[in-house]
Amino acid sequence: MTANRPPEASPYPTEPPAAAPYQVGRARTVLRAVAMVSCLPYIGLKAAWIAGGRVGVPDGSPLLDGGAALRVANGVTVLMDAAVIVLALLLTRPWGRRVPAWLLVAPMWVASGLLLPIMTGFPIQLLVRLLGGDGRPVGEAASEPFLDPWVFGVVYGGFIVQGLALGALFALYAKERWGRLWQGRLRDLPESPTAPALRATAVAAALAALLPGIAHLLWAAGSTAGLNAGRAADRTSDFYVLEAVNLLFVVVTVVGVLLLAFRRTGRLPLRLPLVLVWAGSAETACWGGWLSMAALMGAGEAADQPTAAMTVTYAGQMLAGALVATLGAYFFAERAAAASVLPATAGGPEPDPAAASAPAASAVPAASTASAVSAPSSGSRVS
């Protein structure tokens, strides 16, 4: 007779383990607070102007004659800048992981393109002025006061802080959600049936960027060819810095897309050309669109009418950036489709159900669409 034994425990759990609660972490909490607080100066200034205040607006400024149209524009930009708060929450809350990829990536890409020139150009402009340059705050004309000089530092400083904080949050978010899609090196990429089309798109984008690159090179070197009379007369060191920045991003766009499409340098990590593609396509497309809009909005006088060369240059930028962004979207769609049928690597993130809607390029510092839409170019004005 055998003694009764307790039943042995099953080696397989009868119930799935409870999911661990989402942890934000101290770093993300601080970055979220910084992003939100950095919106307050800009929103405060805009709210004061909407209410009829004149904080930072000197006597004789054209803003005093803006009327209802200017109030509406200020209201729109307040709402857009307030979207930074929504983005900061989306990037740090559990429900943000369930947002469709395009709904997050699209505004971050646009904001990157409109804020990267300010984040790179404004500090260089300040440095040039310290070294004796004749630059003035962007948008302040010599003949008429527009805003007090301190306003530009507050506004652009806030944009830079927003860009850094939201960019860091987005990089952390993208690494967790889509990190598997940019692992490895260029030489590890498998051949794809769409490779010929991607290479043709890369060549087309490089050709489209050729004319804008030449134009920005000439303007940065001091040439007035193709500029309207108003822009040629208002050139300062600020103008030359921004033209050099525009040229830099055109080069970044071409280098990034050719590396990704032709993969001649196999030792490079995959994330490098993806970062170049993100930053370059965003800046060329979105900043080109902003320059076009700024040129048309400031075309009240004949001297300010955009020339054919300026129009073609900005259109070429938008076309090149759009082509590169399209290439990036297809690249990530293929990577996401391949990753969805492969098991997760040890220690790596699990396959994401939303991977099929992967972002159109790798994450780089970006900022809110709000800040970006209201960011003026050289010779344009904060409104």
Side-chain angles (χ1 to χ4, degrees):
M1 181 175 181
T2 60
N4 293 331
R5 297 181 180 179
E8 295 183 358
S10 172
Y12 305 101
T14 57
E15 295 182 359
Y22 183 80
Q23 299 293 333
V24 176
R26 184 181 299 274
R28 298 190 198 202
T29 301
V30 172
L31 289 170
R32 179 176 61 193
V34 169
M36 292 180 176
V37 172
S38 64
C39 300
L40 298 181
Y42 183 78
I43 293 177
L45 278 173
K46 290 287 187 171
W49 296 341
I50 292 173
R54 295 183 52 179
V55 180
V57 182
D59 294 333
S61 172
L63 291 177
L64 299 177
D65 301 324
L70 183 59
R71 287 188 173 88
V72 171
N74 284 335
V76 171
T77 55
V78 165
L79 294 177
M80 297 296 289
D81 201 50
V84 174
I85 299 174
V86 178
L87 286 172
L89 291 173
L90 186 152
L91 294 170
T92 56
R93 302 303 302 164
W95 52 267
R97 297 294 297 271
R98 299 188 295 272
V99 172
W102 67 266
L103 191 59
L104 170 64
V105 173
M108 296 298 288
W109 180 79
V110 172
S112 298
L114 295 174
L115 284 182
L116 279 171
I118 293 178
M119 296 175 67
T120 55
F122 187 61
I124 299 175
Q125 289 174 340
L126 294 178
L127 178 61
V128 170
R129 293 176 208 163
L130 290 176
L131 297 176
D134 62 344
R136 294 183 297 273
V138 179
E140 184 181 4
S143 58
E144 57 183 11
F146 183 67
L147 290 171
D148 291 335
W150 64 265
V151 175
F152 296 95
V154 170
V155 170
Y156 293 154
F159 290 167
I160 291 172
V161 173
Q162 290 176 31
L164 294 174
L166 280 180
L169 287 174
F170 183 56
L172 294 171
Y173 176 100
K175 182 179 179 180
E176 289 184 352
R177 185 169 176 179
W178 304 300
R180 296 181 70 211
L181 301 183
W182 56 74
Q183 298 295 324
R185 298 181 181 274
L186 281 174
R187 65 185 177 191
D188 300 328
L189 292 176
E191 282 298 324
S192 167
T194 61
L198 294 179
R199 289 167 184 161
T201 303
V203 172
L207 292 176
L210 183 61
L211 177 59
I214 294 174
H216 290 304
L217 175 61
L218 292 175
W219 295 340
S223 174
T224 61
L227 291 175
N228 58 35
R231 182 63 60 85
D234 290 339
R235 289 176 301 157
T236 64
S237 62
D238 287 351
F239 171 85
Y240 296 122
V241 168
L242 285 182
E243 289 304 319
V245 169
N246 287 329
L247 175 60
L248 171 65
F249 279 104
V250 170
V251 174
V252 165
T253 303
V254 174
V255 171
V257 74
L258 293 180
L259 282 175
L260 188 61
F262 290 93
R263 306 167 191 177
R264 299 299 187 189
T265 308
R267 294 180 178 274
L268 288 177
L270 177 59
R271 65 173 60 90
L272 176 59
L274 291 177
V275 167
L276 297 179
V277 163
W278 171 282
S281 67
E283 199 277 348
T284 53
C286 301
W287 194 251
W290 171 260
L291 292 175
S292 298
M293 184 173 64
L296 294 174
M297 290 177 62
E301 300 180 0
D304 295 327
Q305 293 284 344
T307 65
M310 294 171 64
T311 301
V312 172
T313 296
Y314 303 151
Q317 284 187 229
M318 291 186 285
L319 176 60
L323 287 173
V324 174
T326 301
L327 184 148
Y330 275 102
F331 174 83
F332 267 101
E334 287 187 342
R335 294 280 288 178
S340 65
V341 298
L342 294 176
T345 57
E350 294 295 327
D352 187 355
S357 58
S362 177
V364 295
S368 70
T369 307
S371 306
V373 168
S374 58
S377 64
S378 175
S380 63
R381 296 168 178 174
V382 178
S383 59

